[in-house]
Amino acid sequence: MLELSGPPVAEAVYQELQTLLATLPYVPHLRVVRLGDDPASVAYVRLKDRQAKRLGLSSQVDVFPESTSQEELLAHIARLNADPEVDGILVQSPVPRQVDFNAVLEAIDPLKDVDGLTPVNAGRMWMGLEALESCTPAGVMRLLKHYQIPLAGKEVVIVGRSNLVGKPLAALMLREHATVTLAHSRTQDLAAVCRRADVLVAAVGKAGLITPEMVRPGAVVVDVGINRVGQNEKGRDILVGDVAPGVAAVASALTPVPGGVGPMTVAMLLYNTVIAAMRRRGRPTGERLQAAR
Ligand code: NAD
């Protein structure tokens, strides 16, 4: 079984970005907005901020209280949209109940939408147009490309239909000429649908949902899920994916959790930040841009 490890691929993205950054007469600036103190969001935001700085980008985290109103958040986004020094805006989800995340996404300037989640970028992805692509789906595609997993003409089954992962990943898989099925909570006989897959992607958030019987022998399995199933003796969260351990014995290739898709998500966020800066502020030659894709 081939382990589709994320960190070496993420590192390759960072090296390409470093080469690109050296050619730019400016430092791209990322602004991450976080509301409240959800522990997972705090950890993700810290990771994104640290990686951005490690790469040599300028990064700032704007923290607002849990009680922030939608109007206050939209006013802040309007300021970031108007600020010429800000290249990328990311609002960490989940947001508190009083805030409509879709309204937040609609307010973000699509040219600064480094999470690739605004309706404009989501629509452009479906149309096969140049877009800031959703980070996790773009990371999955980059990972599969790196390990030379063929997609054209293959049966790809994606379990999970969220706007964050499942739907945009379907758009990117379609662009690579896969035959795509989106399965979800109302899918009947999920096991039979999954067994059709040459490439099976689990993006649900339920530990152990994908069992060995649901995987065709030799299939490639991508585990996007991140589930906290307890803490170790050092008080650190124990993380597992959506794929049960026994699947490793059936699949030909599998992404580990942690250390698979997660690092790719962060890498693609920073890729998007550099690309967004280049598109807004002027870009070097198309040749260099191509090298980073
Ligand atoms: P979500 O809750 O928005 O969507 C979950 C999807 O799973 C829904 O479309 C739902 O229909 C489907 N689903 C629920 N129960 C099901 C079942 N029993 N059978 C089949 N389908 C079912 O979640 P999300 O934001 O898309 O995230 C999914 C998982 O991916 C979570 O564990 C999340 O933490 C993880 N995630 C990981 C990364 C990463 O970088 N690795 C990034 C984003 C999300």
Side-chain angles (χ1 to χ4, degrees), residues 44 136 159-162 164-166 183-185 190 203-206 209 224-227 242 261-262 265:
Y44 289 142
T136 302
V159 189
R161 59 171 160 183
S162 71
L164 184 66
V165 187
H184 47 79
S185 52
L190 181 65
V204 174
K206 287 208 161 92
L209 178 75
V224 179
I226 301 177
N227 306 292
D242 291 344
V261 176
T265 297

Side-chain angles (χ1 to χ4, degrees), residues 201-215:
V201 183
V204 174
K206 287 208 161 92
L209 178 75
I210 306 296
T211 57
E213 306 74 57
M214 298 167 84
V215 179

Side-chain angles (χ1 to χ4, degrees), residues 223-289:
D223 193 352
V224 179
I226 301 177
N227 306 292
R228 280 162 191 80
V229 290
Q231 290 195 326
N232 65 17
E233 60 284 354
K234 287 182 183 160
R236 293 241 173 90
D237 286 336
I238 300 170
L239 303 179
V240 301
D242 291 344
V243 173
V247 168
V250 185
S252 64
L254 174 62
T255 62
V257 177
V261 176
M264 294 306 301
T265 297
V266 182
M268 298 322 288
L269 167 69
L270 303 185
Y271 171 86
N272 278 348
T273 305
V274 175
I275 295 301
M278 288 164 62
R279 288 198 186 132
R280 270 191 344 106
R281 303 191 194 218
R283 55 208 270 182
T285 68
E287 208 174 55
R288 282 191 191 127
L289 185 68

Side-chain angles (χ1 to χ4, degrees), residues 32-50 61 63-64 66 92-94 228:
V32 179
V33 180
R34 172 164 68 73
L35 274 64
D37 293 314
D38 168 61
S41 295
V42 171
Y44 289 142
V45 165
R46 190 188 302 132
L47 188 67
K48 290 167 185 176
D49 182 54
R50 276 197 193 150
V61 181
V63 181
F64 287 86
E66 179 89 22
Q92 182 66 40
S93 67
R228 280 162 191 80

